[in-house]
């Protein structure tokens, strides 16, 4: 099974400052079609998860452009250029390249200092 | 507004059974596989099961294999998860997610399953 390791697990941030979350996979996430199926999700308190980024770097409709995804192979990053209060929550990476099983990172809790 | 709607959660005792279901709009459900993902209280996300559109392929997490059965009714745009021999560690919110094997774009509001004596 592919293990997804996120860091940090807790991220206190100052409003208006940048933030980044790392996600590493235990093996390359390049699929046989050449794509990388790595998604990022945001889960605000009391809500269902919401997909923010798909296939490493594609932002979903309605997602603010302060969110961006990058990476290749086994190392991936979710970046927030300027953190806003509504960004508080838990962020998960997930791989859909090697399955079953589909696997998630442990989650990174973003909070305001 | 796209809506995936789960139902069927509740409180059961260890060893009992429960069936949760999900209804999704046709443009999500049609020609697409669907997943179940769960979240224990205060914990992270765990993939549980997947079913392809024609029910040809079904996959399960090791933690539920042999106890859970996924199925779908394409005429009604519904997918279900039959959960037998439930354990306390199966407690959590169960989310229906689609479309397709990789997307995980649409999530329902979840349905809470509590296994407790």
């Amino acid at each position: 099974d592919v293990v997804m390791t996120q860091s940090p697990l807790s991220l206190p941030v100052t409003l208006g400052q940048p933030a980044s979350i790392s996600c590493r996979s235990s093996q390359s996430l390049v699929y046989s079609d050449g794509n990388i199926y790595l998604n990022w999700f945001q889960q605000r308190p009391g809500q269902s998860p919401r997909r923010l980024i798909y296939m490493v770097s594609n932002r979903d409709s309605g997602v603010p452009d302060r969110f961006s995804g990058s990476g290749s192979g086994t190392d991936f990053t979710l970046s927030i250029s300027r953190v806003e209060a509504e960004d508080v929550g838990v962020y998960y990476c997930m791989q859909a390249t090697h399955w079953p099983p589909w696997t998630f990172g442990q989650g990174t809790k973003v909070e305001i200092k | 507004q796209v809506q995936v709607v789960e139902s069927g959660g509740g409180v059961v005792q260890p060893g009992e059974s429960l069936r949760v279901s999900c209804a999704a709009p046709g443009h999500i459900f049609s020609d697409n596989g669907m997943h179940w993902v769960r979240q224990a209280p205060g914990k992270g996300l765990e993939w549980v099961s997947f079913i392809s559109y024609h029910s040809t392929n079904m996959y399960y997490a090791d933690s539920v294999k042999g106890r859970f059965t996924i199925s779908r009714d394409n005429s009604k745009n519904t997918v279900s998860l039959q959960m037998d021999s439930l354990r306390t560690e199966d407690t959590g919110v169960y989310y229906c997610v689609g479309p397709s094997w990789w997307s995980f774009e649409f999530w329902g509001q979840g349905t809470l399953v509590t296994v407790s004596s």
Side-chain angles (χ1 to χ4, degrees), chain B residues 12-15 38-41 43-44 46 48 62-64 67-68 83-94 113-117:
Chain B
V12 296
Q13 295 189 343
R38 69 184 180 184
Q39 186 170 35
K43 302 298 184 181
E46 178 190 18
V48 174
D62 286 346
S63 57
V64 307
R67 300 186 298 120
F68 288 13
M83 302 182 291
D84 298 323
S85 303
L86 281 161
R87 304 168 180 169
T88 55
E89 56 264 35
D90 295 318
T91 293
V93 176
Y94 284 71
V113 172
T114 302
V115 184
S116 174
S117 56

Side-chain angles (χ1 to χ4, degrees), chain B residues 33-48:
Chain B
M34 296 290 291
H35 296 267
W36 285 97
V37 174
R38 69 184 180 184
Q39 186 170 35
K43 302 298 184 181
L45 301 171
E46 178 190 18
W47 171 79
V48 174

Side-chain angles (χ1 to χ4, degrees), chain B:
Chain B
Q1 181 76 7
V2 173
Q3 282 192 324
V4 175
V5 181
E6 301 93 340
S7 60
V11 180
V12 296
Q13 295 189 343
E16 294 186 338
S17 299
L18 196 64
R19 185 180 184 89
V20 293
S21 296
C22 160
H27 70 279
I28 293 177
F29 200 85
S30 296
D31 297 320
N32 286 309
M34 296 290 291
H35 296 267
W36 285 97
V37 174
R38 69 184 180 184
Q39 186 170 35
K43 302 298 184 181
L45 301 171
E46 178 190 18
W47 171 79
V48 174
S49 185
F50 169 82
I51 186 167
S52 60
Y53 180 69
H54 292 291
S55 303
T56 307
N57 298 304
M58 290 167 281
Y59 302 105
Y60 301 92
D62 286 346
S63 57
V64 307
K65 199 172 294 182
R67 300 186 298 120
F68 288 13
T69 303
I70 193 171
S71 62
R72 64 189 293 162
D73 183 338
N74 291 343
S75 68
K76 298 180 180 178
N77 288 357
T78 60
V79 60
S80 297
L81 188 68
Q82 175 66 39
M83 302 182 291
D84 298 323
S85 303
L86 281 161
R87 304 168 180 169
T88 55
E89 56 264 35
D90 295 318
T91 293
V93 176
Y94 284 71
Y95 296 101
C96 178
V97 190
S100 86
W101 54 272
W102 69 268
S103 168
F104 290 77
E105 181 177 4
F106 301 112
W107 296 62
Q109 84 289 349
T111 187
L112 177 61
V113 172
T114 302
V115 184
S116 174
S117 56

Side-chain angles (χ1 to χ4, degrees), chain A residues 25-51:
Chain A
S25 57
S26 59
Q27 57 185 281
S28 172
L29 296 186
V30 179
Y31 191 60
S32 55
D33 62 5
N35 291 319
I36 296 177
Y37 293 99
L38 185 286
N39 299 331
W40 287 96
F41 301 89
Q42 174 195 60
Q43 187 173 32
R44 290 170 170 153
Q47 295 187 12
S48 300
R50 165 200 183 194
R51 195 182 72 178

